[in-house]
Amino acid sequence: MKNSTVIYILALAVFLIGTIEYIITGVIEMIALDLGVSTSVAGLLVTAFALSAAIGAPILIAMTINVDRKKVLIIALSVFILSNWLTFFSSTFEGVLVSRILQGLSGGIATVVAMAVATRLVVKEKRGNAIGIILMGLSSSLVFGVPIGTYFSDWLGWKSLFIWIGFVSIFPLLVIYKRVPSIKEKEAVTIGMQLSILKDKRILVALVITLLYIGGYSILFTYITPFLQATSPLSITEISGILFLAGVCSFVGSRVGGLLADAKGPKATIFLGLTLQVVMFFLLSLVGNNLVLLIGVLMIWMLATWSISPAQQLNIVTLVPHSPDIALSVNTSFIQFGFALGSGLGGLVISNSSVLHLNWLGLGVVSIALLLAFLLFTKMNSHVAKNWAEG
């Protein structure tokens, strides 16, 4: 099996993880009704996954940095499978919450290690493309996983998706066991070496950009179903169709973002994506109840947001070339913090105001990310950046 095929198998595993992470956005009101909680409380299931991935995953990755990456990936996927089955058999909100924590922990580790492994299987010039393929697996969960899962959840019940994802995940687990080579660090990596990357202020600013652009995205996307229903009387089937279109755009965005990052550089790709994200948030306030225009703006918004991710991952890896696992882990941690931040802030907005105000908060958060990117990429030449990092 060629390395390119192995990378696509890794992308499949990430696709399944992404489906489980994002499916809550499509069935959030079903869950709230079934478990007897409010929509904002049900949104905590997104927050729980995100915080578990953001806090627990990097700690365990740091602790196991000198362990064979293949072994870590297999263990993480095994726990992910079991946590999905736990969700199916949980009858209370607390039980589902525990399973989401396990899903976030195992899924977060598997996603980071899959990206790190992918960068080791290709030449340096193709790393952006490899990361883009893995993230394409993540974004394709929005293309197929979330809309199809939402549709069948309406038919068979929302828990059915979790047990089926658990069974399907066995396939990439077996392929990884047989085909992914053993990958270990050539030299032992200490905790001090891992923490040293945070001394570089360029990395810290880049991580804050990740936190904010994902946070702004999550503010709206976590509650996209009630947002759409507030603008038009849509059925769950129609919402599934819109989610499918949004997923197609995220899929294309990840692919294009990876290719642009290799061709034009990660900085230009990030800046373009952030600019489009800000503009689309603003346009959401102008389209009103015009469903066609609303869908068009949402599609461009998804395309822009997901084009940033592979470029940002590559940018971080470029800053820490000696330890891509740690670089990707830290950035992915901030991605998950962003999801937690966005879902939490979005829940506060709909609890105290209107779901239709979510785009304004998202606009403010992403605008700050754009400003930081401007300062980081435009105002700083390489000499200043080096002095700033060492100072």
Side-chain angles (χ1 to χ4, degrees):
M1 182 179 285
K2 295 181 179 180
N3 285 347
S4 60
T5 304
V6 173
I7 291 173
Y8 279 103
I9 293 298
L10 294 172
L12 172 61
V14 173
F15 161 78
L16 297 169
I17 293 168
T19 298
I20 289 302
E21 177 170 9
Y22 302 132
I23 188 59
I24 302 299
T25 63
V27 299
I28 190 169
E29 298 199 337
M30 294 185 206
I31 294 175
L33 181 63
D34 188 39
L35 299 180
V37 297
S38 66
T39 301
S40 59
V41 170
L44 291 176
L45 296 177
V46 176
T47 306
F49 186 110
L51 286 179
S52 181
I55 299 173
I59 291 175
L60 289 178
I61 287 173
M63 292 173 62
T64 60
I65 192 61
N66 296 307
V67 178
D68 184 355
R69 298 292 88 190
K70 175 180 178 178
K71 182 182 296 185
V72 173
L73 187 56
I74 288 174
I75 293 174
L77 280 176
S78 298
V79 174
F80 176 73
I81 291 169
L82 294 175
S83 65
N84 279 283
W85 294 340
L86 177 61
T87 301
F88 180 81
F89 291 108
S90 297
S91 58
T92 64
F93 176 78
E94 291 76 15
V96 175
L97 190 64
V98 169
S99 69
R100 290 292 290 177
I101 292 172
L102 291 174
Q103 288 162 5
L105 184 63
S106 58
I109 293 172
T111 299
V112 170
V113 175
M115 283 190 288
V117 168
T119 63
R120 309 288 183 85
L121 298 178
V122 297
V123 296
K124 181 178 179 180
E125 292 75 18
K126 296 294 184 180
R127 289 185 305 175
N129 185 45
I131 293 173
I133 291 173
I134 299 299
L135 291 174
M136 189 173 64
L138 191 61
S139 61
S140 64
S141 66
L142 294 170
V143 179
F144 301 108
V146 173
I148 294 175
T150 300
Y151 176 78
F152 281 102
S153 293
D154 188 46
W155 181 29
L156 300 174
W158 64 272
K159 286 187 177 182
S160 62
L161 180 70
F162 289 87
I163 197 164
W164 282 111
I165 289 292
F167 280 118
V168 175
S169 298
I170 295 175
F171 171 68
L173 176 66
L174 293 176
V175 174
I176 289 168
Y177 173 75
K178 288 187 169 292
R179 300 296 183 178
V180 171
S182 176
I183 298 175
K184 294 183 179 180
E185 293 291 341
K186 295 180 179 179
E187 297 180 3
V189 180
T190 66
I191 294 294
M193 293 169 62
Q194 298 175 51
L195 294 177
S196 67
I197 70 171
L198 297 178
K199 295 179 181 179
D200 190 330
K201 293 181 181 179
R202 294 169 301 167
I203 294 177
L204 289 177
V205 173
L207 292 174
V208 173
I209 291 172
T210 293
L211 174 72
L212 294 176
Y213 94 81
I214 290 293
Y217 166 79
S218 182
I219 284 170
L220 178 59
F221 191 74
T222 299
Y223 304 97
I224 192 65
T225 295
F227 180 84
L228 289 170
Q229 290 175 328
T231 58
S232 302
L234 299 170
S235 68
I236 196 68
T237 300
E238 291 170 327
I239 289 175
S240 296
I242 294 173
L243 290 176
F244 175 78
L245 291 175
V248 169
C249 290
S250 66
F251 179 88
V252 174
S254 291
R255 188 68 174 137
V256 171
L259 294 173
L260 279 177
D262 280 335
K264 302 296 183 181
K267 295 178 181 179
T269 306
I270 293 167
F271 197 81
L272 175 61
L274 288 173
T275 301
L276 284 174
Q277 206 181 8
V278 168
V279 172
M280 292 307 110
F281 266 127
F282 177 73
L283 290 180
L284 282 176
S285 64
L286 301 180
V287 298
N289 294 330
N290 189 315
L291 186 59
V292 175
L293 290 178
L294 175 64
I295 292 174
V297 170
L298 285 174
M299 297 310 105
I300 298 174
W301 175 66
M302 292 291 290
L303 181 70
T305 302
W306 282 87
S307 70
I308 301 169
S309 195
Q312 181 71 326
Q313 299 279 18
L314 179 59
N315 183 49
I316 297 290
V317 168
T318 301
L319 292 173
V320 194
H322 61 278
S323 186
D325 298 62
I326 297 303
L328 291 168
S329 174
V330 172
N331 190 56
T332 302
S333 177
F334 274 74
I335 288 175
Q336 296 298 347
F337 276 128
F339 278 119
L341 174 68
S343 60
L345 290 176
L348 289 175
V349 170
I350 64 175
S351 295
N352 297 284
S353 181
S354 168
V355 69
L356 296 176
H357 294 159
L358 291 174
N359 63 294
W360 287 112
L361 181 58
L363 173 63
V365 171
V366 178
S367 293
I368 298 173
L370 179 60
L371 175 61
L372 288 176
F374 177 80
L375 294 175
L376 186 63
F377 298 153
T378 306
K379 293 296 185 180
M380 291 169 45
N381 58 41
S382 59
H383 177 70
V384 174
K386 181 179 180 180
N387 289 340
W388 188 38
E390 294 175 348

